[in-house]
Amino acid sequence: MPPMATLFTRIINREIPAEIVYEDDHVVAFRDIDPKAPTHILIVPRQEIPGVAELPDSGDHLHLLNAAKKIAEQEGLTNGYRLVINQGNDGGQTVPHLHVHLLGGRSLSWPPG
Ligand code: AMP
């Protein structure tokens, strides 16, 4: 039996609806269902990498930052934004498919909780 597709792979495959705002050969980006800022987008590699702790030497994750830059421009985030990757339990990761949160549209406090 092949392993179950992750929630985000099911979104990428259009099995679960989401508002997709960007895609290319390596990544797909869609709006977070529970936004923490006026703009809250998840950027996901097509490859099912569980998290930063499991990063291979090469693969779709190498394209995440370039996609983030493009999406931030597309979203008009000219005043800045934040990219977040939650890793594991202490990092608050809930979906075991690597993703970058792109947050913007308001001033974000530091440090995070
Ligand atoms: P993390 O906690 O870093 O693993 O982030 C997972 C994110 O996925 C959370 O911000 C959730 O709100 C978001 N999320 C969960 N289910 C969906 C969904 N069906 N569509 C869009 N975003 C989702």
Side-chain angles (χ1 to χ4, degrees):
M1 283 257 292
M4 283 262 291
T6 68
L7 170 65
F8 290 167
T9 292
R10 297 184 69 201
I11 287 175
I12 290 169
N13 292 339
R14 272 54 171 190
E15 293 165 20
I16 293 175
E19 188 182 343
I20 293 174
V21 297
Y22 175 87
E23 62 183 319
D24 62 27
D25 288 347
H26 303 284
V27 310
V28 176
F30 47 88
R31 294 197 193 280
D32 198 292
I33 203 168
D34 182 18
K36 302 296 190 286
T39 298
H40 187 172
I41 290 167
L42 302 175
I43 312 169
V44 183
R46 291 184 183 274
Q47 199 178 346
E48 280 192 344
I49 302 161
V52 171
E54 293 84 10
L55 281 189
D57 291 338
S58 62
D60 288 338
H61 60 289
L62 298 178
H63 299 265
L64 287 167
L65 276 184
N66 299 75
K69 174 182 180 252
K70 287 184 200 166
I71 297 162
E73 287 170 2
Q74 183 180 296
E75 293 287 316
L77 298 175
T78 54
N79 206 37
Y81 49 88
R82 183 172 295 166
L83 303 176
V84 173
I85 300 177
N86 296 323
Q87 168 61 40
N89 288 337
D90 279 1
Q93 183 179 10
T94 58
V95 177
H97 185 153
L98 180 68
H99 50 285
V100 175
H101 297 254
L102 167 60
L103 297 148
R106 67 171 170 84
S107 180
L108 298 158
S109 59
W110 188 263

